PDB file of all heavy atoms in Angstrom:
ATOM      1  N   TYR A   1     -21.181   4.113  37.173  1.00  0.00           N
ATOM      2  CA  TYR A   1     -21.259   5.506  37.338  1.00  0.00           C
ATOM      3  C   TYR A   1     -21.735   5.773  38.757  1.00  0.00           C
ATOM      4  O   TYR A   1     -22.618   5.045  39.196  1.00  0.00           O
ATOM      5  CB  TYR A   1     -22.073   6.112  36.281  1.00  0.00           C
ATOM      6  CG  TYR A   1     -23.460   5.876  36.343  1.00  0.00           C
ATOM      7  CD1 TYR A   1     -24.426   6.624  37.065  1.00  0.00           C
ATOM      8  CD2 TYR A   1     -24.071   4.800  35.512  1.00  0.00           C
ATOM      9  CE1 TYR A   1     -25.776   6.347  37.014  1.00  0.00           C
ATOM     10  CE2 TYR A   1     -25.336   4.525  35.553  1.00  0.00           C
ATOM     11  CZ  TYR A   1     -26.224   5.265  36.365  1.00  0.00           C
ATOM     12  OH  TYR A   1     -27.563   4.969  36.295  1.00  0.00           O
ATOM     13  N   GLN A   2     -21.269   6.845  39.359  1.00  0.00           N
ATOM     14  CA  GLN A   2     -21.611   7.165  40.670  1.00  0.00           C
ATOM     15  C   GLN A   2     -22.727   8.163  40.725  1.00  0.00           C
ATOM     16  O   GLN A   2     -22.790   9.160  39.956  1.00  0.00           O
ATOM     17  CB  GLN A   2     -20.417   7.813  41.361  1.00  0.00           C
ATOM     18  CG  GLN A   2     -20.611   8.048  42.828  1.00  0.00           C
ATOM     19  CD  GLN A   2     -19.289   8.554  43.477  1.00  0.00           C
ATOM     20  OE1 GLN A   2     -18.319   7.964  43.361  1.00  0.00           O
ATOM     21  NE2 GLN A   2     -19.452   9.564  44.173  1.00  0.00           N
ATOM     22  N   ALA A   3     -23.733   7.883  41.478  1.00  0.00           N
ATOM     23  CA  ALA A   3     -24.965   8.753  41.578  1.00  0.00           C
ATOM     24  C   ALA A   3     -24.798   9.826  42.552  1.00  0.00           C
ATOM     25  O   ALA A   3     -25.563  10.950  42.386  1.00  0.00           O
ATOM     26  CB  ALA A   3     -26.254   7.887  41.967  1.00  0.00           C
ATOM     27  N   SER A   4     -24.064   9.753  43.603  1.00  0.00           N
ATOM     28  CA  SER A   4     -23.880  10.787  44.506  1.00  0.00           C
ATOM     29  C   SER A   4     -22.499  11.217  44.487  1.00  0.00           C
ATOM     30  O   SER A   4     -21.495  10.653  44.139  1.00  0.00           O
ATOM     31  CB  SER A   4     -24.157  10.262  45.912  1.00  0.00           C
ATOM     32  OG  SER A   4     -23.270   9.055  46.156  1.00  0.00           O
ATOM     33  N   GLN A   5     -22.348  12.582  44.814  1.00  0.00           N
ATOM     34  CA  GLN A   5     -21.015  13.218  44.723  1.00  0.00           C
ATOM     35  C   GLN A   5     -20.157  12.953  45.804  1.00  0.00           C
ATOM     36  O   GLN A   5     -18.888  13.052  45.717  1.00  0.00           O
ATOM     37  CB  GLN A   5     -21.321  14.792  44.700  1.00  0.00           C
ATOM     38  CG  GLN A   5     -22.150  15.213  43.508  1.00  0.00           C
ATOM     39  CD  GLN A   5     -21.468  14.918  42.158  1.00  0.00           C
ATOM     40  OE1 GLN A   5     -20.178  15.074  42.007  1.00  0.00           O
ATOM     41  NE2 GLN A   5     -22.197  14.438  41.181  1.00  0.00           N
ATOM     42  N   GLN A   6     -20.597  12.513  46.896  1.00  0.00           N
ATOM     43  CA  GLN A   6     -19.783  12.305  48.105  1.00  0.00           C
ATOM     44  C   GLN A   6     -20.276  10.974  48.805  1.00  0.00           C
ATOM     45  O   GLN A   6     -21.310  10.624  48.945  1.00  0.00           O
ATOM     46  CB  GLN A   6     -19.866  13.448  49.187  1.00  0.00           C
ATOM     47  CG  GLN A   6     -18.958  13.303  50.371  1.00  0.00           C
ATOM     48  CD  GLN A   6     -19.245  14.444  51.318  1.00  0.00           C
ATOM     49  OE1 GLN A   6     -20.021  15.260  51.122  1.00  0.00           O
ATOM     50  NE2 GLN A   6     -18.336  14.433  52.432  1.00  0.00           N
ATOM     51  N   LEU A   7     -19.277  10.167  49.147  1.00  0.00           N
ATOM     52  CA  LEU A   7     -19.584   8.928  49.688  1.00  0.00           C
ATOM     53  C   LEU A   7     -19.668   8.845  51.118  1.00  0.00           C
ATOM     54  O   LEU A   7     -19.705   7.717  51.796  1.00  0.00           O
ATOM     55  CB  LEU A   7     -18.446   7.827  49.203  1.00  0.00           C
ATOM     56  CG  LEU A   7     -18.423   7.519  47.786  1.00  0.00           C
ATOM     57  CD1 LEU A   7     -17.206   6.576  47.509  1.00  0.00           C
ATOM     58  CD2 LEU A   7     -19.738   7.064  47.344  1.00  0.00           C
ATOM     59  N   HIS A   8     -19.607  10.034  51.812  1.00  0.00           N
ATOM     60  CA  HIS A   8     -19.892  10.141  53.271  1.00  0.00           C
ATOM     61  C   HIS A   8     -18.886   9.155  54.128  1.00  0.00           C
ATOM     62  O   HIS A   8     -19.427   8.580  55.144  1.00  0.00           O
ATOM     63  CB  HIS A   8     -21.321   9.733  53.576  1.00  0.00           C
ATOM     64  CG  HIS A   8     -22.383  10.746  52.844  1.00  0.00           C
ATOM     65  ND1 HIS A   8     -22.640  12.020  53.224  1.00  0.00           N
ATOM     66  CD2 HIS A   8     -23.145  10.473  51.844  1.00  0.00           C
ATOM     67  CE1 HIS A   8     -23.436  12.463  52.431  1.00  0.00           C
ATOM     68  NE2 HIS A   8     -23.833  11.662  51.496  1.00  0.00           N
ATOM     69  N   GLU A   9     -17.654   9.081  53.725  1.00  0.00           N
ATOM     70  CA  GLU A   9     -16.911   8.082  54.432  1.00  0.00           C
ATOM     71  C   GLU A   9     -16.655   8.547  55.916  1.00  0.00           C
ATOM     72  O   GLU A   9     -16.432   7.843  56.778  1.00  0.00           O
ATOM     73  CB  GLU A   9     -15.512   8.027  53.684  1.00  0.00           C
ATOM     74  CG  GLU A   9     -15.553   7.414  52.301  1.00  0.00           C
ATOM     75  CD  GLU A   9     -14.271   7.436  51.595  1.00  0.00           C
ATOM     76  OE1 GLU A   9     -13.259   7.964  52.093  1.00  0.00           O
ATOM     77  OE2 GLU A   9     -14.202   6.811  50.501  1.00  0.00           O
ATOM     78  N   GLU A  10     -16.715   9.827  56.172  1.00  0.00           N
ATOM     79  CA  GLU A  10     -16.542  10.339  57.579  1.00  0.00           C
ATOM     80  C   GLU A  10     -17.633   9.986  58.385  1.00  0.00           C
ATOM     81  O   GLU A  10     -17.507   9.875  59.659  1.00  0.00           O
ATOM     82  CB  GLU A  10     -16.330  11.863  57.458  1.00  0.00           C
ATOM     83  CG  GLU A  10     -17.608  12.683  57.095  1.00  0.00           C
ATOM     84  CD  GLU A  10     -17.869  12.795  55.671  1.00  0.00           C
ATOM     85  OE1 GLU A  10     -17.040  12.273  54.957  1.00  0.00           O
ATOM     86  OE2 GLU A  10     -18.770  13.470  55.253  1.00  0.00           O
ATOM     87  N   THR A  11     -18.875   9.678  57.926  1.00  0.00           N
ATOM     88  CA  THR A  11     -19.983   9.240  58.754  1.00  0.00           C
ATOM     89  C   THR A  11     -20.099   7.850  58.827  1.00  0.00           C
ATOM     90  O   THR A  11     -20.986   7.345  59.620  1.00  0.00           O
ATOM     91  CB  THR A  11     -21.247   9.933  58.285  1.00  0.00           C
ATOM     92  OG1 THR A  11     -21.451   9.447  56.848  1.00  0.00           O
ATOM     93  CG2 THR A  11     -21.143  11.385  58.209  1.00  0.00           C
ATOM     94  N   ASN A  12     -19.273   7.031  58.116  1.00  0.00           N
ATOM     95  CA  ASN A  12     -19.266   5.519  58.222  1.00  0.00           C
ATOM     96  C   ASN A  12     -20.634   4.956  57.718  1.00  0.00           C
ATOM     97  O   ASN A  12     -21.061   3.943  58.007  1.00  0.00           O
ATOM     98  CB  ASN A  12     -19.075   5.082  59.619  1.00  0.00           C
ATOM     99  CG  ASN A  12     -18.428   3.640  59.551  1.00  0.00           C
ATOM    100  OD1 ASN A  12     -17.846   3.247  58.642  1.00  0.00           O
ATOM    101  ND2 ASN A  12     -18.593   2.880  60.708  1.00  0.00           N
ATOM    102  N   LEU A  13     -21.322   5.790  56.877  1.00  0.00           N
ATOM    103  CA  LEU A  13     -22.546   5.277  56.228  1.00  0.00           C
ATOM    104  C   LEU A  13     -22.381   4.195  55.178  1.00  0.00           C
ATOM    105  O   LEU A  13     -21.402   4.421  54.460  1.00  0.00           O
ATOM    106  CB  LEU A  13     -23.458   6.431  55.638  1.00  0.00           C
ATOM    107  CG  LEU A  13     -24.192   7.335  56.662  1.00  0.00           C
ATOM    108  CD1 LEU A  13     -24.667   8.500  56.020  1.00  0.00           C
ATOM    109  CD2 LEU A  13     -25.252   6.639  57.489  1.00  0.00           C
ATOM    110  N   PRO A  14     -23.246   3.261  55.056  1.00  0.00           N
ATOM    111  CA  PRO A  14     -23.006   2.233  54.101  1.00  0.00           C
ATOM    112  C   PRO A  14     -23.204   2.783  52.695  1.00  0.00           C
ATOM    113  O   PRO A  14     -24.039   3.677  52.500  1.00  0.00           O
ATOM    114  CB  PRO A  14     -24.022   1.079  54.378  1.00  0.00           C
ATOM    115  CG  PRO A  14     -25.087   1.843  55.132  1.00  0.00           C
ATOM    116  CD  PRO A  14     -24.462   2.999  55.945  1.00  0.00           C
ATOM    117  N   THR A  15     -22.561   2.190  51.610  1.00  0.00           N
ATOM    118  CA  THR A  15     -22.711   2.470  50.289  1.00  0.00           C
ATOM    119  C   THR A  15     -23.498   1.392  49.626  1.00  0.00           C
ATOM    120  O   THR A  15     -23.265   0.230  49.877  1.00  0.00           O
ATOM    121  CB  THR A  15     -21.385   2.542  49.622  1.00  0.00           C
ATOM    122  OG1 THR A  15     -20.600   3.792  50.284  1.00  0.00           O
ATOM    123  CG2 THR A  15     -21.494   3.034  48.111  1.00  0.00           C
ATOM    124  N   VAL A  16     -24.488   1.841  48.721  1.00  0.00           N
ATOM    125  CA  VAL A  16     -25.194   0.868  47.994  1.00  0.00           C
ATOM    126  C   VAL A  16     -24.710   0.662  46.523  1.00  0.00           C
ATOM    127  O   VAL A  16     -24.745   1.805  45.842  1.00  0.00           O
ATOM    128  CB  VAL A  16     -26.778   1.285  48.012  1.00  0.00           C
ATOM    129  CG1 VAL A  16     -27.591   0.217  47.191  1.00  0.00           C
ATOM    130  CG2 VAL A  16     -27.271   1.458  49.366  1.00  0.00           C
ATOM    131  N   ILE A  17     -24.399  -0.419  46.164  1.00  0.00           N
ATOM    132  CA  ILE A  17     -23.880  -0.729  44.671  1.00  0.00           C
ATOM    133  C   ILE A  17     -24.995  -1.365  44.034  1.00  0.00           C
ATOM    134  O   ILE A  17     -25.318  -2.517  44.464  1.00  0.00           O
ATOM    135  CB  ILE A  17     -22.565  -1.333  44.808  1.00  0.00           C
ATOM    136  CG1 ILE A  17     -21.570  -0.564  45.593  1.00  0.00           C
ATOM    137  CG2 ILE A  17     -22.119  -1.699  43.306  1.00  0.00           C
ATOM    138  CD1 ILE A  17     -20.177  -1.346  45.562  1.00  0.00           C
ATOM    139  N   CYS A  18     -25.525  -0.794  43.108  1.00  0.00           N
ATOM    140  CA  CYS A  18     -26.687  -1.226  42.325  1.00  0.00           C
ATOM    141  C   CYS A  18     -26.286  -1.847  41.053  1.00  0.00           C
ATOM    142  O   CYS A  18     -25.538  -1.309  40.199  1.00  0.00           O
ATOM    143  CB  CYS A  18     -27.765  -0.202  42.071  1.00  0.00           C
ATOM    144  SG  CYS A  18     -28.148   0.700  43.633  1.00  0.00           S
ATOM    145  N   VAL A  19     -26.591  -3.125  40.790  1.00  0.00           N
ATOM    146  CA  VAL A  19     -26.286  -3.849  39.650  1.00  0.00           C
ATOM    147  C   VAL A  19     -27.596  -4.396  38.956  1.00  0.00           C
ATOM    148  O   VAL A  19     -28.382  -5.051  39.631  1.00  0.00           O
ATOM    149  CB  VAL A  19     -25.390  -5.059  39.912  1.00  0.00           C
ATOM    150  CG1 VAL A  19     -24.847  -5.687  38.606  1.00  0.00           C
ATOM    151  CG2 VAL A  19     -24.184  -4.556  40.806  1.00  0.00           C
ATOM    152  N   TYR A  20     -27.698  -4.209  37.692  1.00  0.00           N
ATOM    153  CA  TYR A  20     -28.947  -4.592  36.917  1.00  0.00           C
ATOM    154  C   TYR A  20     -28.536  -5.670  35.865  1.00  0.00           C
ATOM    155  O   TYR A  20     -27.628  -5.630  35.086  1.00  0.00           O
ATOM    156  CB  TYR A  20     -29.522  -3.422  36.179  1.00  0.00           C
ATOM    157  CG  TYR A  20     -29.680  -2.157  36.991  1.00  0.00           C
ATOM    158  CD1 TYR A  20     -28.903  -0.992  36.688  1.00  0.00           C
ATOM    159  CD2 TYR A  20     -30.446  -2.070  38.154  1.00  0.00           C
ATOM    160  CE1 TYR A  20     -28.961   0.095  37.505  1.00  0.00           C
ATOM    161  CE2 TYR A  20     -30.454  -1.015  38.839  1.00  0.00           C
ATOM    162  CZ  TYR A  20     -29.883   0.168  38.514  1.00  0.00           C
ATOM    163  OH  TYR A  20     -29.977   1.194  39.446  1.00  0.00           O
ATOM    164  N   SER A  21     -29.389  -6.895  36.001  1.00  0.00           N
ATOM    165  CA  SER A  21     -29.192  -7.972  35.184  1.00  0.00           C
ATOM    166  C   SER A  21     -27.719  -8.235  34.831  1.00  0.00           C
ATOM    167  O   SER A  21     -27.271  -8.225  33.769  1.00  0.00           O
ATOM    168  CB  SER A  21     -29.946  -7.612  33.758  1.00  0.00           C
ATOM    169  OG  SER A  21     -31.345  -7.388  33.974  1.00  0.00           O
ATOM    170  N   PRO A  22     -27.005  -8.752  35.942  1.00  0.00           N
ATOM    171  CA  PRO A  22     -25.469  -8.971  35.747  1.00  0.00           C
ATOM    172  C   PRO A  22     -25.291 -10.102  34.818  1.00  0.00           C
ATOM    173  O   PRO A  22     -25.975 -11.063  34.790  1.00  0.00           O
ATOM    174  CB  PRO A  22     -25.111  -9.105  37.236  1.00  0.00           C
ATOM    175  CG  PRO A  22     -26.297  -9.730  37.871  1.00  0.00           C
ATOM    176  CD  PRO A  22     -27.490  -9.058  37.270  1.00  0.00           C
ATOM    177  N   VAL A  23     -24.246  -9.983  34.038  1.00  0.00           N
ATOM    178  CA  VAL A  23     -23.768 -11.176  33.217  1.00  0.00           C
ATOM    179  C   VAL A  23     -23.026 -12.152  34.184  1.00  0.00           C
ATOM    180  O   VAL A  23     -23.294 -13.421  33.879  1.00  0.00           O
ATOM    181  CB  VAL A  23     -22.797 -10.758  32.098  1.00  0.00           C
ATOM    182  CG1 VAL A  23     -22.243 -11.884  31.295  1.00  0.00           C
ATOM    183  CG2 VAL A  23     -23.556  -9.719  31.218  1.00  0.00           C
ATOM    184  N   ASP A  24     -22.257 -11.701  35.065  1.00  0.00           N
ATOM    185  CA  ASP A  24     -21.490 -12.541  35.994  1.00  0.00           C
ATOM    186  C   ASP A  24     -21.627 -12.015  37.333  1.00  0.00           C
ATOM    187  O   ASP A  24     -20.875 -11.350  37.806  1.00  0.00           O
ATOM    188  CB  ASP A  24     -20.017 -12.650  35.546  1.00  0.00           C
ATOM    189  CG  ASP A  24     -19.211 -13.669  36.392  1.00  0.00           C
ATOM    190  OD1 ASP A  24     -19.886 -14.322  37.193  1.00  0.00           O
ATOM    191  OD2 ASP A  24     -18.035 -13.797  36.061  1.00  0.00           O
ATOM    192  N   PRO A  25     -22.757 -12.398  38.026  1.00  0.00           N
ATOM    193  CA  PRO A  25     -22.955 -11.848  39.420  1.00  0.00           C
ATOM    194  C   PRO A  25     -21.817 -12.350  40.439  1.00  0.00           C
ATOM    195  O   PRO A  25     -21.556 -11.568  41.470  1.00  0.00           O
ATOM    196  CB  PRO A  25     -24.168 -12.449  39.775  1.00  0.00           C
ATOM    197  CG  PRO A  25     -24.475 -13.667  38.954  1.00  0.00           C
ATOM    198  CD  PRO A  25     -23.750 -13.349  37.762  1.00  0.00           C
ATOM    199  N   ILE A  26     -21.350 -13.459  40.230  1.00  0.00           N
ATOM    200  CA  ILE A  26     -20.270 -13.984  41.228  1.00  0.00           C
ATOM    201  C   ILE A  26     -19.057 -12.934  41.197  1.00  0.00           C
ATOM    202  O   ILE A  26     -18.371 -12.684  42.138  1.00  0.00           O
ATOM    203  CB  ILE A  26     -19.924 -15.361  40.891  1.00  0.00           C
ATOM    204  CG1 ILE A  26     -21.131 -16.274  41.083  1.00  0.00           C
ATOM    205  CG2 ILE A  26     -18.784 -15.803  41.754  1.00  0.00           C
ATOM    206  CD1 ILE A  26     -20.868 -17.742  40.867  1.00  0.00           C
ATOM    207  N   SER A  27     -18.561 -12.708  39.992  1.00  0.00           N
ATOM    208  CA  SER A  27     -17.373 -11.709  39.926  1.00  0.00           C
ATOM    209  C   SER A  27     -17.689 -10.417  40.522  1.00  0.00           C
ATOM    210  O   SER A  27     -16.820  -9.863  41.107  1.00  0.00           O
ATOM    211  CB  SER A  27     -17.024 -11.586  38.450  1.00  0.00           C
ATOM    212  OG  SER A  27     -18.049 -11.007  37.637  1.00  0.00           O
ATOM    213  N   VAL A  28     -18.954  -9.970  40.476  1.00  0.00           N
ATOM    214  CA  VAL A  28     -19.301  -8.678  41.074  1.00  0.00           C
ATOM    215  C   VAL A  28     -19.183  -8.793  42.542  1.00  0.00           C
ATOM    216  O   VAL A  28     -18.692  -7.954  43.235  1.00  0.00           O
ATOM    217  CB  VAL A  28     -20.771  -8.386  40.641  1.00  0.00           C
ATOM    218  CG1 VAL A  28     -21.228  -7.069  41.386  1.00  0.00           C
ATOM    219  CG2 VAL A  28     -20.945  -8.108  39.129  1.00  0.00           C
ATOM    220  N   ILE A  29     -19.641  -9.872  43.128  1.00  0.00           N
ATOM    221  CA  ILE A  29     -19.578 -10.115  44.562  1.00  0.00           C
ATOM    222  C   ILE A  29     -18.197 -10.223  45.068  1.00  0.00           C
ATOM    223  O   ILE A  29     -17.740  -9.571  46.046  1.00  0.00           O
ATOM    224  CB  ILE A  29     -20.441 -11.427  45.000  1.00  0.00           C
ATOM    225  CG1 ILE A  29     -21.804 -11.301  44.654  1.00  0.00           C
ATOM    226  CG2 ILE A  29     -20.183 -11.707  46.427  1.00  0.00           C
ATOM    227  CD1 ILE A  29     -22.692 -12.564  44.892  1.00  0.00           C
ATOM    228  N   LYS A  30     -17.344 -10.946  44.318  1.00  0.00           N
ATOM    229  CA  LYS A  30     -15.870 -10.903  44.647  1.00  0.00           C
ATOM    230  C   LYS A  30     -15.290  -9.758  44.564  1.00  0.00           C
ATOM    231  O   LYS A  30     -14.250  -9.422  45.468  1.00  0.00           O
ATOM    232  CB  LYS A  30     -15.207 -12.040  43.761  1.00  0.00           C
ATOM    233  CG  LYS A  30     -15.728 -13.513  43.882  1.00  0.00           C
ATOM    234  CD  LYS A  30     -15.017 -14.404  43.062  1.00  0.00           C
ATOM    235  CE  LYS A  30     -15.333 -15.877  43.296  1.00  0.00           C
ATOM    236  NZ  LYS A  30     -14.648 -16.792  42.367  1.00  0.00           N
ATOM    237  N   GLN A  31     -15.618  -8.911  43.544  1.00  0.00           N
ATOM    238  CA  GLN A  31     -14.918  -7.564  43.459  1.00  0.00           C
ATOM    239  C   GLN A  31     -15.262  -6.674  44.573  1.00  0.00           C
ATOM    240  O   GLN A  31     -14.453  -6.029  45.203  1.00  0.00           O
ATOM    241  CB  GLN A  31     -15.294  -6.986  42.094  1.00  0.00           C
ATOM    242  CG  GLN A  31     -14.732  -5.577  41.920  1.00  0.00           C
ATOM    243  CD  GLN A  31     -15.281  -4.937  40.710  1.00  0.00           C
ATOM    244  OE1 GLN A  31     -15.962  -5.600  39.867  1.00  0.00           O
ATOM    245  NE2 GLN A  31     -14.921  -3.668  40.505  1.00  0.00           N
ATOM    246  N   HIS A  32     -16.538  -6.638  44.990  1.00  0.00           N
ATOM    247  CA  HIS A  32     -16.988  -5.642  45.979  1.00  0.00           C
ATOM    248  C   HIS A  32     -17.083  -6.120  47.344  1.00  0.00           C
ATOM    249  O   HIS A  32     -17.103  -5.372  48.348  1.00  0.00           O
ATOM    250  CB  HIS A  32     -18.367  -4.987  45.488  1.00  0.00           C
ATOM    251  CG  HIS A  32     -18.434  -4.331  44.217  1.00  0.00           C
ATOM    252  ND1 HIS A  32     -17.766  -2.995  44.010  1.00  0.00           N
ATOM    253  CD2 HIS A  32     -18.901  -4.604  43.048  1.00  0.00           C
ATOM    254  CE1 HIS A  32     -17.981  -2.726  42.754  1.00  0.00           C
ATOM    255  NE2 HIS A  32     -18.478  -3.548  42.164  1.00  0.00           N
ATOM    256  N   GLN A  33     -17.180  -7.432  47.561  1.00  0.00           N
ATOM    257  CA  GLN A  33     -17.231  -8.037  48.895  1.00  0.00           C
ATOM    258  C   GLN A  33     -18.270  -7.340  49.809  1.00  0.00           C
ATOM    259  O   GLN A  33     -17.849  -6.708  50.832  1.00  0.00           O
ATOM    260  CB  GLN A  33     -15.820  -7.943  49.501  1.00  0.00           C
ATOM    261  CG  GLN A  33     -14.697  -8.668  48.782  1.00  0.00           C
ATOM    262  CD  GLN A  33     -13.347  -8.633  49.448  1.00  0.00           C
ATOM    263  OE1 GLN A  33     -13.097  -7.674  50.053  1.00  0.00           O
ATOM    264  NE2 GLN A  33     -12.537  -9.654  49.232  1.00  0.00           N
TER     265      GLN A  33
END
């Protein structure tokens, strides 16, 4: 779920993806790069 309404793509700001106690952290890394 997304916490902020806008991803600020026009300002080129980084996006933080937060993952808690992942079952498969490697697949998360491969998905989001």
Side-chain angles (χ1 to χ4, degrees):
Y1 65 91
Q2 184 175 312
S4 55
Q5 297 298 321
Q6 184 181 4
L7 292 183
H8 301 283
E9 295 179 356
E10 68 279 3
T11 60
N12 207 25
L13 285 172
T15 299
V16 181
I17 300 178
C18 309
V19 186
Y20 311 116
S21 300
V23 176
D24 187 0
I26 296 178
S27 64
V28 176
I29 298 175
K30 290 181 178 179
Q31 175 185 353
H32 297 289
Q33 298 181 333

